[in-house]
Amino acid sequence: MEKHRQLGDFTIISIHWGANWGYDIPAEHQKFAHRLVDEAAVDVIYGHSSHHAIGMELYKGVPVLYGCGDFINDYEGISGNEEFRFELALAYFLLP
């Protein structure tokens, strides 16, 4: 990516990864995210797949959102995963 980067570019990586339900972040996801920062110099990692928000970290100043959850969903009446509180949503604002 560095050879294509131009002055002022801001690189966001969007990755569909992880389980739909659960809070665990696999070690290989964290290692891969760290490599993207260290080797590809990305500015934000936006992970999605989980239907609820899961962990995030700031790695070397780079926000790594491992699972942003659904902002809008259609799970009304679907039972079995209530403990994950899919009716709650987060909005993410990244400021310079």
Side-chain angles (χ1 to χ4, degrees):
M1 290 183 31
E2 275 303 311
K3 81 176 194 176
H4 298 289
R5 185 183 295 261
Q6 296 181 19
L7 184 64
D9 281 355
F10 187 82
T11 305
I12 300 172
I13 299 293
S14 175
I15 304 174
H16 187 268
W17 61 4
N20 290 331
W21 304 107
Y23 292 109
D24 294 333
I25 299 168
E28 56 270 9
H29 289 189
Q30 188 176 41
K31 288 177 189 173
F32 183 61
H34 292 183
R35 285 188 64 202
L36 286 169
V37 173
D38 294 338
E39 298 175 24
V42 300
D43 298 300
V44 174
I45 298 173
Y46 163 64
H48 51 89
S49 178
S50 59
H51 293 298
H52 57 284
I54 61 173
M56 61 184 81
E57 71 173 321
L58 197 60
Y59 176 72
K60 295 185 178 178
V62 172
V64 180
L65 311 171
Y66 287 101
C68 291
D70 297 331
F71 195 71
I72 299 174
N73 66 57
D74 61 352
Y75 303 125
E76 185 176 334
I78 298 173
S79 61
N81 292 300
E82 291 82 8
E83 70 270 18
F84 296 109
R85 302 292 308 269
F86 52 78
E87 77 278 7
L88 301 177
L90 290 178
Y92 301 84
F93 299 91
L94 303 175
L95 304 174

